């Protein structure tokens, strides 16, 4: 089976003399869910941007990141960004912590969503309108008709993030990179979004790379977890095994910290 995404010695430099990410090695099989975890500044987002070919000068990638497409494997590192445009959206898509990064302030929400649905799924007219409303309903937006008519500044931060997630999924990508997608959302909506991503994985075989600093969230959704610290890959392993018997001291600290939080909180049903 061809891997969906492979990073080999994938790293990021700042200018000529500073290395921010020192080389990540990981292979994602189709339909696999990988979590990346690590404290703030550990290099998670830069690794994701390197995989997407979205680093901007003076940040430059090194090593290799390959993505499997219907036309064969594409090497991201060294390929001009505009040549990756046909891969992004359809094969690999992304959602970031800050939704404004991917939304257009001058276009109504419905129109923004309609564009990829028309382009990649060939929909038009009533079928397109229904699909836009379904996409908004899938991300648990109340009153999807009103949201579809709204501009981004007319909806709340949490609603914007849900629109950004709907937009990232609109073209039915085979790989989704989700960089802290639920951090700004309340717990109930967060659970709904995790369910939605999970459904995309089980029903469509989507490959998911889920980035978070929250180990309990990552362990809920990921088959394997990659731990990063100070721009270095510290550990990569099966989620259950990593939680049970972390090999690296830093991973053990993360696991202990999330357990300590669990112990501190009252048990379910006693609140
Ligand atoms: N454009 C940039 N110019 C200079 N340094 C940068 C730039 N972007 C990121 N960095 C630095 O690179 C390191 C890794 O950043 P990165 O955003 O990947 O961390 P992260 O693990 O995603 O953190 P967070 O969880 O806070 O999002 C940090 O030290 C950050 O300050």
């Amino acid at each position: 089976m061809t891997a969906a995404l492979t990073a080999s010695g994938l790293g990021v430099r700042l200018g000529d003399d500073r290395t921010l990410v020192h080389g990540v090695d990981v292979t994602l099989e189709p339909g696999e869910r990988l979590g990346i975890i690590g404290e703030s500044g550990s290099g998670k987002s830069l690794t994701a941007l390197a995989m997407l070919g979205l680093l901007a000068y003076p940040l430059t990638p090194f090593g290799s990141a390959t993505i499997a497409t219907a036309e064969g494997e594409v090497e991201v590192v060294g390929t001009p960004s505009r040549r990756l445009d046909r891969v992004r959206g359809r094969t690999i898509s992304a959602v970031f912590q800050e939704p404004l990064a991917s939304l257009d302030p001058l276009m109504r929400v419905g129109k923004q969503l309609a564009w990829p649905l028309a382009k990649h799924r060939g929909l038009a007219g009533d079928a397109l309108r229904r699909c836009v409303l379904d996409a908004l309903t899938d991300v648990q937006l109340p009153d999807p008709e009103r949201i579809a008519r709204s501009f981004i500044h007319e909806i709340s931060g949490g609603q914007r993030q849900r629109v950004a997630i709907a937009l990232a999924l609109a073209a039915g990508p085979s790989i989704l990179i989700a960089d802290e997608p639920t951090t700004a959302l309340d717990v109930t909506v967060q659970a709904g979004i995790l369910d939605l991503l999970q459904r995309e994985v089980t029903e469509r075989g989507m490959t998911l790379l889920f980035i978070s600093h929250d180990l309990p969230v990552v362990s809920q959704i990921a088959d394997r977890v990659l731990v990063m610290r100070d721009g270095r890959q510290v550990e990569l392993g099966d989620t259950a095994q990593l939680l049970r018997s972390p090999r690296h001291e830093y991973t053990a600290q993360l696991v202990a910290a999330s357990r300590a939080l669990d112990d501190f909180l009252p048990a379910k049903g006693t609140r």
Side-chain angles (χ1 to χ4, degrees):
M1 190 164 44
T2 312
L5 193 158
T6 305
S8 310
L10 180 66
V12 180
R13 270 194 204 97
L14 174 67
D16 290 334
D17 51 2
R18 249 188 95 193
T19 302
L20 298 176
V21 177
H22 292 263
V24 166
D25 292 288
V26 66
T27 299
L28 276 92
E29 301 301 338
E32 193 185 0
R33 302 163 304 169
L34 177 79
I36 300 189
I37 184 143
E39 63 203 5
S40 183
S42 56
K44 306 181 297 294
S45 296
L46 288 184
T47 301
L49 291 171
M51 288 171 172
L52 289 156
L54 287 176
L55 291 169
Y57 185 83
L59 297 173
T60 47
F62 61 90
S64 160
T66 54
I67 295 172
T69 74
E71 293 83 34
E73 287 205 328
V74 171
E75 171 61 63
V76 175
V77 176
T79 303
S81 189
R82 66 176 182 287
R83 286 201 25 220
L84 294 170
D85 279 347
R86 65 188 170 83
V87 177
R88 287 191 292 249
R90 192 178 47 144
T91 302
I92 188 165
S93 185
V95 54
F96 301 100
Q97 185 175 355
E98 177 41 74
L100 294 181
S102 43
L103 299 173
D104 185 337
L106 302 176
M107 202 189 279
R108 289 182 200 278
V109 165
K111 199 165 177 195
Q112 292 190 54
L113 264 173
W115 194 80
L117 290 170
K119 182 171 173 225
H120 297 289
R121 300 199 192 172
L123 297 171
D126 273 351
L128 179 57
R129 234 182 319 277
R130 247 195 329 273
C131 203
V132 165
L133 297 178
D134 285 350
L136 293 170
T137 308
D138 276 349
V139 288
Q140 299 189 324
L141 279 163
D143 198 354
E145 304 221 354
R146 179 186 73 81
I147 302 276
R149 281 195 307 272
S150 304
F151 289 100
I152 290 307
H153 70 268
E154 294 171 327
I155 62 177
S156 76
Q159 290 172 339
R160 281 177 203 157
Q161 183 60 309
R162 282 176 273 172
V163 171
I165 292 168
L167 194 61
L169 293 173
S174 47
I175 308 166
L176 178 74
I177 296 187
D179 187 352
E180 308 255 9
T182 57
T183 308
L185 303 177
D186 67 54
V187 178
T188 322
V189 175
Q190 171 170 298
I193 298 293
L194 294 180
D195 279 351
L196 169 69
L197 296 180
Q198 181 63 41
R199 232 174 28 241
E200 293 284 321
V201 172
T202 46
E203 289 175 10
R204 288 202 306 109
M206 185 179 81
T207 305
L208 178 67
L209 196 159
F210 190 94
I211 296 174
S212 175
H213 58 266
D214 188 341
L215 184 57
V217 172
V218 168
S219 56
Q220 243 178 310
I221 196 149
D223 306 305
R224 285 195 300 157
V225 178
L226 189 159
V227 183
M228 291 190 72
R229 187 185 200 186
D230 295 336
R232 292 176 200 277
Q233 177 171 336
V234 166
E235 186 162 350
L236 170 64
D238 183 69
T239 306
Q241 207 226 309
L242 190 128
L243 291 175
R244 218 178 17 245
S245 47
R247 282 196 301 268
H248 195 281
E249 175 56 29
Y250 177 63
T251 315
Q253 284 169 20
L254 288 179
V255 173
S258 72
R259 293 243 162 82
L261 191 62
D262 268 358
D263 294 345
F264 174 77
L265 294 171
K268 273 198 185 109
T270 61
R271 262 174 274 183

